[in-house]
Amino acid sequence: MTTKLTPAQATIASTAEAEAGTATDKFMTPERVAEAITALSQVSPFTASYTSGELSVATQASHTLTHSLGDRPVLVQARLICKVANAGCSVGDEVVINIAGDSSSTERCNSVRLTTTQILIKIANNALLVTRPDNGAVDAITATSWRMVIRAWA
């Protein structure tokens, strides 16, 4: 139940009270509202994160990445980083890819296995594919022109 208060009956909420959002007998100033929004927008659903170094994307490459997340990752992202202009991309471009590959073709199905201590990646027999930014066509990358970085969260 919300209590109706007059200015004489209520005090201004502290920063902690504003962030908790449970007091019904306090007033909120614009400053307290801004503090609460800032504090609450920084809350992450994840407790830990991991970022690998740059990895080879050669066909049939295997990578065993040891993380210290304390649990099995719940989200994993693979980014390709262009090192030499290729497939319509410029040096420094980053492309987020589906590391699991195209499940409709066993030749393109990469393997990603997650444990409580490791991320194990096996690149398939065929080159990784990207969508070219210049014309929208799907193109196989030249592995030596790219590196991959894996990010994971638990």
Side-chain angles (χ1 to χ4, degrees), residues 15 19 49 60 91 145:
T15 300
E19 291 173 10
S49 65
Q60 298 183 345
V91 173
S145 299

Side-chain angles (χ1 to χ4, degrees), residues 6-149:
T6 66
Q9 296 173 307
T11 58
I12 295 174
S14 68
T15 300
E17 290 168 328
E19 291 173 10
T22 56
T24 59
D25 61 345
K26 304 284 180 161
F27 282 117
M28 294 282 285
T29 64
E31 178 185 28
R32 290 294 183 258
V33 171
E35 290 170 348
I37 289 170
T38 298
L40 295 172
S41 66
Q42 295 174 5
V43 176
S44 172
F46 306 110
T47 58
S49 65
Y50 165 82
T51 302
S52 74
E54 292 186 0
L55 307 169
S56 163
V57 293
T59 59
Q60 298 183 345
S62 293
H63 300 288
T64 300
L65 309 172
T66 301
H67 63 75
S68 57
L69 296 173
D71 202 351
R72 188 181 318 267
V74 294
L75 178 63
V76 176
Q77 179 190 69
R79 286 180 182 236
L80 294 179
I81 302 169
C82 186
K83 297 296 187 174
V84 177
N86 178 242
C89 295
S90 300
V91 173
D93 284 357
E94 294 188 17
V95 179
V96 177
I97 63 165
N98 176 5
I99 189 60
D102 177 2
S103 62
S104 66
S105 169
T106 56
E107 295 176 354
R108 291 216 185 273
C109 192
N110 302 303
S111 171
V112 180
R113 193 162 59 95
L114 308 172
T115 74
T116 57
T117 58
Q118 294 181 321
I119 301 168
L120 300 105
I121 299 171
K122 174 71 173 148
I123 306 291
N125 294 333
N126 290 336
L128 296 174
L129 303 175
V130 297
T131 301
R132 295 179 62 100
D134 54 354
N135 62 18
V138 175
D139 202 354
I141 65 167
T142 301
T144 55
S145 299
W146 297 81
R147 293 293 176 266
M148 180 172 54
V149 172

